[in-house]
Amino acid sequence: MKIRLFQLLLATAALAVAAPTRDTVRISVAQMNITGSDLAPGTDRVDMLIPWMDKAVAEKADLVVFPEYLLGQFHLDSPIIDKLRAEAKRRNLNVIVGGWECMPGTKITHPPAAGSYSNSVIVVDRQGKIAGKHWKMHAAIGSESPFNWPPAPGELGENTMNLGNENGVVDLDFGRIGLMTCYDGYFFESFMMPSLRGAEVLVWVNSRPGMVEPHIIQAASFITCTHVVASNTSNGCGSAICSYPGWKLDVAAPVPESEQLITATLDLKQLR
């Protein structure tokens, strides 16, 4: 019965996926340094993304993936997002980047008011449209716990944000992707569920001092039959691109404090 249910889920997901138009996709990941001053109110955070977008274009990438947090606090309907959309369209480039999405009608404050924001990853397509987004589902809290739970008494941070209730799954011109953010990746359902919904590339966006674990990336690729892409900031490092079946990382940036763009071409036809 369980096997039959699994087969039905896969069949339903396959039917829902838009007809693929590409057999390969070329993806870049920007492992870059960010500081508190980069995200200060009034700074133009898109400006620091543009050189990396240009590097991705030079690598003939279809998609560039940035770390978590880089947009700072924003509203979806705002000049900073309009600029991001325009820069992606100008370069004919799909872009994924994270930040603190403030709810419509709320005021941006520092720190943000409880319930007024989410840790969000947004996807901008080549036409400059917001193709989709993902709200982080698992809050990284519990500063005194090795397991990020429970929260410490009076702890704020992600303990005050609105959580997502499912992975973002987005159709781009090359195929379907699934999204997750940082601590989401420690719950294996975060990889499994978008793959069951037809995602061929899973994108794990991070911004943390600890290295993104290669064994998690490789295991996720093998078990979900997907390609896996992970981004991180340079202080944590470990950004990587891993093609199915996950025997090895195609390319990685494992050196702490190293800023670099990594790029690889992934075979989509192999998965179909």
Side-chain angles (χ1 to χ4, degrees):
M1 181 64 181
K2 289 183 179 178
I3 293 175
R4 178 59 178 160
L5 178 59
F6 183 74
Q7 291 172 332
L8 287 172
L9 284 169
L10 288 178
T12 302
L15 287 172
V17 177
T21 58
R22 299 275 302 279
D23 289 336
T24 64
V25 60
R26 191 158 171 82
I27 297 178
S28 290
V29 179
Q31 179 167 288
M32 53 188 291
N33 180 52
I34 58 171
T35 65
S37 61
D38 292 325
L39 306 180
T43 58
D44 188 332
R45 279 87 69 187
V46 174
D47 277 350
M48 68 180 178
L49 307 183
I50 289 175
W52 295 91
M53 294 168 69
D54 288 338
K55 291 178 183 179
V57 171
E59 289 289 336
K60 301 187 185 324
D62 301 293
L63 166 67
V64 61
V65 180
F66 287 99
E68 188 183 9
Y69 303 146
L70 292 191
L71 291 176
Q73 289 176 260
F74 67 92
H75 289 107
L76 275 181
D77 184 10
S78 64
I80 190 171
I81 300 303
D82 291 344
K83 181 173 180 176
L84 176 66
R85 294 170 58 190
E87 297 296 343
K89 182 178 181 179
R90 183 174 293 114
R91 290 163 178 78
N92 191 34
L93 182 67
N94 297 295
V95 177
I96 295 176
V97 61
W100 300 107
E101 179 187 345
C102 297
M103 301 299 102
T106 63
K107 184 177 180 180
I108 293 179
T109 60
H110 307 279
S116 70
Y117 69 102
S118 288
N119 185 338
S120 180
V121 172
I122 64 172
V123 182
V124 179
D125 67 17
R126 296 181 192 270
Q127 288 73 46
K129 298 177 181 177
I130 296 178
K133 65 180 181 179
H134 168 74
W135 284 1
K136 189 175 183 179
M137 300 180 292
H138 303 90
I141 51 181
S143 58
E144 305 302 319
S145 168
F147 308 108
N148 293 111
W149 189 265
E155 183 173 359
L156 300 176
E158 291 191 346
N159 199 33
T160 67
M161 72 182 183
N162 299 324
L163 298 177
N165 55 24
E166 64 178 3
N167 297 82
V169 172
V170 182
D171 288 324
L172 293 174
D173 56 343
F174 56 82
R176 178 168 288 186
I177 65 170
L179 302 166
M180 67 203 75
T181 306
C182 202
Y183 195 43
D184 289 341
Y186 287 88
F187 300 84
F188 203 77
E189 294 85 352
S190 299
F191 294 98
M192 184 62 72
M193 294 311 295
S195 73
L196 290 175
R197 293 168 63 193
E200 298 171 314
V201 180
L202 302 182
V203 179
W204 184 17
V205 176
N206 295 267
S207 182
R208 52 184 167 109
M211 180 179 182
V212 180
E213 298 85 346
H215 53 278
I216 296 179
I217 296 170
Q218 292 175 252
S221 173
F222 178 77
I223 294 175
T224 63
C225 300
T226 63
H227 305 308
V228 179
V229 176
S231 66
N232 198 10
T233 45
S234 60
N235 64 323
C237 76
S239 300
I241 300 173
C242 180
S243 60
Y244 174 77
W247 300 138
K248 63 181 180 64
L249 301 178
D250 294 52
V251 61
V255 179
E257 305 301 336
S258 63
E259 288 194 293
Q260 63 184 107
L261 187 84
I262 58 174
T263 305
T265 299
L266 300 174
D267 184 353
L268 300 174
K269 189 175 182 181
Q270 172 195 19
L271 303 177
R272 295 169 178 161

